[in-house]
Amino acid sequence: MAIKELISKIDFPVYLAPMEGVTDGAFRRMCKTKGADVLISEFISSDALSREVDKSIRKMDFEESERPFGVQIFGHDEQSLIAAARMAENCHPDFIDINWGCPVKKVVNKGAGSAALQDVPRMARLTEAVVKAVSLPVTIKTRLGWDSSSKPIMEVAERMQDVGVQAIAIHGRTRAQMYGGVADWDMIGEVKSNPRIEIPVIGNGDIDSAEKAIEYKKRYGVDAIMVGRAAIGNPWIFQQIKDAFYGRESVIPGYEERVRTVIEQLEIAAEMKGERRAVCEMRSQYAGYFKGLYNFKPVRMNLMNATTIEECKAILRTYHTDI
């Protein structure tokens, strides 16, 4: 199914942004059950996939309940990108997404991620090669440009559409900004209002509340909103966005609900990657899950030292004995 047709069936399409080390299958399922419409894998190295590295191959695993689901790949070499895209296609996701926006130095230094924004013709050539190599829809995620003096996002959007990309997600920052400063949604809106652009434009950056999600969709006319860091430890943000959109009262989750969600995520993650790794990776999300709770810091510090799910359960009971 074409991406445009897919998201046109949703009143207010909200994506969960792909985030390395965060949006694994366990967290994606938490977000899906709480209102996320479209999910995307953690980004996966095309070089690693072409070498059949097990860890990278496992990142493409997903459950039917996660659909619509996309596998995101990144790379700098045409042949490895094609090989990775074909491997992803064999896993039968709904679409394949190419990451042309990652600002991390080790990715950029290899010519992948946002490095492509320094050579738009090369980006177009590599993207077109992937589009021609697979039958699934291909989308991209990118940034405004390399730095304040180079923001070729309009050219990028037009060229991506011309080579067959079916949707473009735009993070409203340059590579130089990394994740600092304020996302420039004016430029995202300009891309959307370009009469040449017919593919869906998905806005991303600084969406940290339901109110802002609705305001930005209305103000800039984007086809969908993508939520990233604000969802870490707060999968309820998707339901809050939906509630606000439909004029429903949104309930802030209580402690019991937060604990149930944490334990469910831990248990799913443990099945996928082993208990110890699941517990260790969860440490980065506790601050979000228990934000705003009075005097929770001592409990969170104890959670940082836990190595089993049973230990986590016991520690969480020390804050609220009804659990």
Side-chain angles (χ1 to χ4, degrees), residues 46-50 73-85:
S46 61
D47 289 340
L49 285 181
S50 64
I73 59 175
F74 75 95
H76 66 283
D77 173 75
E78 181 174 324
Q79 292 309 309
S80 66
L81 277 167
I82 289 173

Side-chain angles (χ1 to χ4, degrees), residues 150-171:
S150 175
K151 297 180 181 179
I153 187 58
M154 193 68 77
E155 178 189 358
V156 168
E158 291 181 353
R159 295 191 71 150
M160 293 299 102
Q161 178 174 271
D162 291 345
V163 301
V165 162
Q166 290 200 20
I168 179 170
I170 305 172
H171 183 131

Side-chain angles (χ1 to χ4, degrees), residues 24-91:
D24 61 6
F27 184 61
R28 293 196 306 264
R29 284 178 228 174
M30 297 303 99
C31 293
K32 187 69 172 182
T33 61
K34 291 168 175 59
D37 295 303
V38 183
L39 306 178
I40 306 175
S41 72
E42 298 174 83
F43 78 154
I44 309 170
S45 165
S46 61
D47 289 340
L49 285 181
S50 64
R51 297 196 309 270
E52 299 187 354
V53 175
D54 287 343
K55 181 180 177 181
S56 295
I57 291 173
R58 287 195 297 272
K59 284 185 178 181
M60 295 190 292
D61 293 341
F62 67 98
E63 297 286 326
E64 283 297 307
S65 62
E66 295 181 58
R67 294 189 186 276
F69 177 78
V71 171
Q72 186 182 79
I73 59 175
F74 75 95
H76 66 283
D77 173 75
E78 181 174 324
Q79 292 309 309
S80 66
L81 277 167
I82 289 173
R86 287 174 173 164
M87 289 180 70
E89 185 171 41
N90 289 336
C91 295

Side-chain angles (χ1 to χ4, degrees), residues 71-291:
V71 171
Q72 186 182 79
I73 59 175
F74 75 95
H76 66 283
D77 173 75
E78 181 174 324
Q79 292 309 309
S80 66
L81 277 167
I82 289 173
R86 287 174 173 164
M87 289 180 70
E89 185 171 41
N90 289 336
C91 295
H92 308 293
D94 296 285
F95 61 96
I96 294 168
D97 189 69
I98 305 175
N99 183 312
W100 290 129
C102 178
V104 176
K105 187 175 181 180
K106 67 178 181 180
V107 172
V108 169
N109 283 351
K110 293 182 179 180
S114 58
L117 290 162
Q118 296 179 292
D119 189 346
V120 178
R122 173 176 167 271
M123 179 198 292
R125 175 176 58 80
L126 293 176
T127 302
E128 184 175 22
V130 172
V131 170
K132 290 181 175 179
V134 297
S135 58
L136 285 175
V138 174
T139 66
I140 73 157
K141 185 173 189 291
T142 189
R143 289 179 170 238
L144 301 177
W146 181 253
D147 57 26
S148 60
S149 65
S150 175
K151 297 180 181 179
I153 187 58
M154 193 68 77
E155 178 189 358
V156 168
E158 291 181 353
R159 295 191 71 150
M160 293 299 102
Q161 178 174 271
D162 291 345
V163 301
V165 162
Q166 290 200 20
I168 179 170
I170 305 172
H171 183 131
R173 289 181 171 86
T174 64
R175 189 270 170 171
Q177 285 180 279
M178 300 296 283
Y179 298 99
V182 178
D184 182 356
W185 275 72
D186 287 338
M187 291 196 74
I188 298 174
E190 289 170 11
V191 173
K192 176 58 188 173
S193 62
N194 180 347
R196 271 210 63 203
I197 299 299
E198 299 178 353
I199 60 174
V201 175
I202 303 148
N204 174 229
D206 294 347
I207 299 297
D208 55 11
S209 69
E211 293 73 22
K212 186 178 284 188
I214 292 170
E215 176 193 350
Y216 279 28
K217 188 175 190 306
K218 289 179 178 178
R219 184 190 302 178
Y220 300 104
V222 291
D223 299 279
I225 291 286
M226 180 176 281
V227 179
R229 288 174 289 169
I232 299 175
N234 182 28
W236 295 277
I237 191 171
F238 298 98
Q239 188 59 56
Q240 291 162 359
I241 291 171
K242 298 295 182 177
D243 288 341
F245 178 74
Y246 290 110
R248 300 186 298 244
E249 184 177 354
S250 192
V251 178
I252 298 175
Y255 185 69
E256 293 86 352
E257 169 64 15
R258 299 187 201 195
V259 170
R260 280 194 295 269
T261 304
V262 164
I263 298 304
E264 183 179 0
Q265 184 176 333
L266 276 169
E267 290 175 342
I268 294 172
E271 290 179 8
M272 297 174 60
K273 58 185 71 173
E275 183 174 23
R276 185 175 179 84
R277 182 179 169 192
V279 171
C280 289
E281 290 183 355
M282 192 69 181
R283 293 169 181 168
S284 64
Q285 299 193 37
Y286 289 131
Y289 267 117
F290 299 105
K291 183 178 180 180

Side-chain angles (χ1 to χ4, degrees), residues 274-315:
E275 183 174 23
R276 185 175 179 84
R277 182 179 169 192
V279 171
C280 289
E281 290 183 355
M282 192 69 181
R283 293 169 181 168
S284 64
Q285 299 193 37
Y286 289 131
Y289 267 117
F290 299 105
K291 183 178 180 180
L293 294 182
Y294 174 74
N295 199 31
F296 189 80
K297 185 176 180 180
V299 180
R300 183 164 63 86
M301 296 308 295
N302 287 334
L303 287 169
M304 301 299 279
N305 295 317
T307 57
T308 69
I309 294 175
E310 288 304 314
E311 282 183 72
C312 292
K313 289 180 180 179
I315 291 167

